[in-house]
Amino acid sequence: MATSASALILPRLPISPPMPARASPATTMTRRRTRPLRAACAYALQEGQSRRSHRLPCGLDLEVIAQHPPAPAPTPGRSERPPLVFVHGSFHAAWCWAERWLPFFSRAGFPCFALSLRAQGESSIPSEAVAGTLETHTGDIADFIRKEVPSPPILIGHSFGGLIVQQYISCLQDSEPLHPKLSGAILVCSVPPSGNSGLVWRYLLTKPIAAVKVTLSLAAKAYAKSLPLCKETFFSSQMDDELVLRYQDLMKESSKLPLFDLRKLNASLPVPSATNGTLEVHVMGARNDFIVDAEGLSETARFYNVQPVCVEGVAHDMMLDCSWEKGAETILSWLDELATRPV
């Protein structure tokens, strides 16, 4: 916990000042906590990508990795592509999108922005015990879109990031929306509107061994110590172990605080219903997802009255998996079809 400057008791100065004493670890920590700490996540950007910080009204900074399309060649009959804003889930950060999907979609003509939520990646670390709530995370995303995205974007969320996107959508239902409007939303292997408690109970009743593995991997963070468990939780069995190890290291560095207090989060769910149905929402899952099961995917699709798409041959982290192109191409097809619909 941060200690205010007024609470420090200064020692009485002697008449003959001694040589400067080395600061104690406690004093160093006190000084350091007078300003927001920033997480560290050593991800090397690829060609064409840039990293910057978005300053929130509260004084914290969010890491933003951006990649814009190459110099555009005029394409007759094709309108300008909307920006894409990507929101990660637990134990991840902006890097998980920068690895594969930002290059893919920027080449397709979309300006891309991947955010690291509070206390994730290289974003600032708040003083609280957890990174935030659904409301604070959606408010941060809204602030970024309002100030830095030139036109209504497509908001894309993965896993718990998908639940954050659902909360954002619910804030657009009123006649005077709380947040900037969107051009669409994509939920990738998303936690369903009711949260993860239903997923947990289904695993306990039908797949008890899998339930133990998921609990160890995520709740106990055993994914960070076991390469086989990390692979089974997030990736396909065909994934190269060296690549899994690289991503495992990035995951360990990514999250300095939990995204949520899960008890408080589950008590606040489900997210408010999307009543007007005017926003186009694409719901997609992975056939080999070890975390979000088929019923969880169906629940999310029913909530938005759409048909879910289940991508074959990929696991939960489909944007990093060895067949990452399958999910990217599925999304691109939906975006191309969305562009033909009347506004």
Side-chain angles (χ1 to χ4, degrees):
M1 181 178 295
T3 304
S4 65
S6 61
L8 294 175
I9 301 175
L10 298 178
R12 180 178 298 173
L13 292 176
I15 296 174
S16 177
M19 293 294 290
R22 186 185 183 97
S24 69
T27 304
T28 303
M29 180 59 71
T30 298
R31 289 174 183 168
R32 192 177 295 142
R33 292 295 281 170
T34 58
R35 66 177 62 184
L37 294 179
R38 185 170 294 180
C41 181
Y43 178 78
L45 299 182
Q46 302 180 47
E47 183 179 356
Q49 295 179 347
S50 63
R51 176 186 281 118
R52 66 178 187 271
S53 295
H54 172 74
R55 177 59 56 89
L56 297 169
C58 64
L60 298 175
D61 291 330
L62 294 187
E63 177 191 22
V64 182
I65 298 179
Q67 187 163 6
H68 293 276
T75 304
R78 194 181 84 174
S79 59
E80 185 176 346
R81 300 281 208 177
L84 306 181
V85 176
F86 296 85
V87 183
H88 64 84
S90 296
F91 312 120
H92 292 64
W95 63 265
C96 73
W97 306 107
E99 181 78 352
R100 302 292 189 184
W101 282 15
L102 259 60
F104 177 90
F105 287 108
S106 64
R107 286 194 301 268
F110 296 91
C112 296
F113 305 92
L115 304 180
S116 291
L117 301 169
R118 299 183 185 200
Q120 320 299 312
E122 296 193 6
S123 294
S124 299
I125 305 173
S127 59
E128 292 79 12
V130 296
T133 64
L134 279 179
E135 290 74 21
T136 55
H137 290 313
T138 55
D140 292 349
I141 295 166
D143 188 74
F144 170 75
I145 293 174
R146 185 180 297 112
K147 295 175 181 176
E148 300 200 37
V149 181
S151 58
I154 306 286
L155 193 55
I156 303 173
H158 173 253
S159 197
F160 265 116
L163 190 64
I164 294 170
V165 171
Q166 293 175 52
Q167 177 71 19
Y168 191 108
I169 294 170
S170 72
C171 295
L172 301 178
Q173 305 307 311
D174 299 330
S175 56
E176 296 183 5
L178 297 175
H179 298 327
K181 69 177 183 177
L182 304 174
S183 292
I186 301 173
L187 305 175
V188 181
C189 300
S190 177
V191 172
S194 62
N196 67 344
S197 57
L199 301 174
V200 172
W201 278 108
R202 281 195 296 275
Y203 272 121
L204 285 171
L205 294 173
T206 62
K207 302 177 182 179
I209 295 176
V212 171
K213 287 183 176 181
V214 169
T215 301
L216 286 173
S217 184
L218 301 179
K221 299 184 181 179
Y223 80 88
K225 300 176 183 178
S226 167
L227 184 67
L229 190 55
C230 181
K231 189 173 188 176
E232 187 173 10
T233 303
F234 296 106
F235 305 108
S236 296
S237 59
Q238 301 85 1
M239 189 84 159
D240 182 78
D241 282 351
E242 289 188 5
L243 197 54
V244 174
L245 183 62
R246 175 169 173 259
Y247 294 153
Q248 181 189 43
D249 287 341
L250 285 166
M251 289 180 199
K252 287 189 287 188
E253 296 174 357
S254 290
S255 184
K256 300 301 183 291
L257 293 175
L259 281 181
F260 308 100
D261 179 321
L262 286 180
R263 287 189 177 183
K264 291 181 179 179
L265 174 68
N266 285 322
S268 71
L269 295 173
V271 297
S273 177
T275 53
N276 61 25
T278 58
L279 184 73
E280 298 287 350
V281 179
H282 184 54
V283 177
M284 58 188 296
R287 181 67 66 190
N288 301 330
D289 196 329
F290 193 66
I291 298 174
V292 180
D293 62 3
E295 177 55 34
L297 175 64
S298 297
E299 178 193 331
T300 305
R302 289 193 302 270
F303 191 78
Y304 293 101
N305 195 28
V306 298
Q307 188 68 28
V309 173
C310 191
V311 183
E312 301 287 339
V314 292
H316 184 71
D317 272 18
M318 71 163 67
M319 67 284 193
L320 294 170
D321 210 16
C322 49
S323 298
W324 61 267
E325 303 99 327
K326 292 181 178 180
E329 289 166 356
T330 299
I331 289 175
L332 183 58
S333 295
W334 184 81
L335 290 171
D336 286 339
E337 196 271 331
L338 181 66
T340 65
R341 299 178 189 176
V343 179

